[in-house]
Amino acid sequence: MDAQNTDVLRDIVVVAGSQGATEALRIMLAQLPADFPAAILIVIHTSPSSPGYLASVLNRYSNLPVEYAEHGQPVLPSHVYLASADRHLEVMAPGIIRLSDGPKVNFARPAADQLFMSAAEVYGSRVISLVLSGGDSDGSDGAVAVLNAGGLSFVQRPEEAAVPSMPIQAMQKVPSSVSVGVAELAATLSTAVGRIRR
């Protein structure tokens, strides 16, 4: 079969963020429709003592249900899953959430690289990665894994990020990453998901 005439399903969005990312998430989730046909899995760096309010905060704005991920939970479209404080959020085949207290990766737990790499391994070209504001390089190696699996890489436009290091590092590792303004994140993801003929 001619690879140029096949349908590609993209229905898994993995998101990385740290300092300054919450506002971008709030705006993006407020603009995504309730029938957004993809699952969204998010790693935001939080301290181990975090009270765990982020899901309830984002739920005030989101048209999609936002919850902290639970071990063994199936990954479903039109749902948003957040990593808990001090636990890696990963995906296992055939699409099950795994929470891990394994070693920190690049000084972070949860680490976006863990999520991105596991999603790329399980879902391949179905994955879209998005790296938001933050002060380190987490997510950049994961964006490489997503790209190598046939997925897409997006980053928050660095000049709009409160702390631009994470988007910049991802763009350096994946030069084909598409830089997107916060106001356009939802529209960009809505265009990228679903079945794409290539």
Side-chain angles (χ1 to χ4, degrees):
M1 179 182 293
D2 184 355
Q4 297 302 312
N5 293 318
T6 59
D7 282 337
V8 177
L9 174 66
R10 301 206 198 278
D11 62 348
I12 303 294
V13 179
V14 292
V15 182
S18 191
Q19 185 179 356
T22 303
E23 179 65 8
L25 275 179
R26 183 189 67 77
I27 294 170
M28 181 184 83
L29 291 175
Q31 295 177 354
L32 287 175
D35 61 351
F36 183 68
I40 303 175
L41 299 100
I42 301 171
V43 166
I44 298 292
H45 296 159
T46 54
S47 90
S49 59
S50 170
Y53 294 147
L54 184 57
S56 61
V57 169
L58 293 177
N59 261 316
R60 296 177 196 164
Y61 304 96
S62 178
N63 298 306
L64 304 166
V66 181
E67 61 185 312
Y68 284 104
E70 297 182 6
H71 188 80
Q73 190 175 20
V75 176
L76 300 175
S78 305
H79 285 71
V80 180
Y81 304 94
L82 294 177
S84 301
D86 209 32
R87 303 289 300 278
H88 290 306
L89 170 58
E90 303 168 350
V91 183
M92 303 182 298
I96 304 296
I97 286 171
R98 177 177 186 265
L99 300 181
S100 164
D101 57 1
K104 291 183 178 181
V105 177
N106 294 323
F107 309 104
R109 186 177 58 226
D113 281 332
Q114 291 289 101
L115 170 61
F116 286 22
M117 290 176 181
S118 66
E121 183 175 346
V122 172
Y123 294 109
S125 62
R126 294 166 61 182
V127 181
I128 299 167
S129 69
L130 171 61
V131 177
L132 300 175
S133 176
D136 59 21
S137 63
D138 193 24
S140 59
D141 288 338
V144 172
V146 169
L147 183 75
N148 288 342
L152 301 177
S153 172
F154 294 100
V155 301
Q156 179 180 353
R157 190 172 292 147
E159 56 268 31
E160 290 189 12
V163 184
S165 298
M166 284 175 62
I168 289 171
Q169 291 289 332
M171 293 175 73
Q172 289 177 345
K173 288 281 186 76
V174 182
S176 62
S177 296
V178 178
S179 176
V180 184
V182 170
E184 290 78 45
L185 285 173
T188 299
L189 291 179
S190 293
T191 299
V193 301
R195 288 196 175 276
I196 300 96
R197 181 166 290 279
R198 68 176 186 182

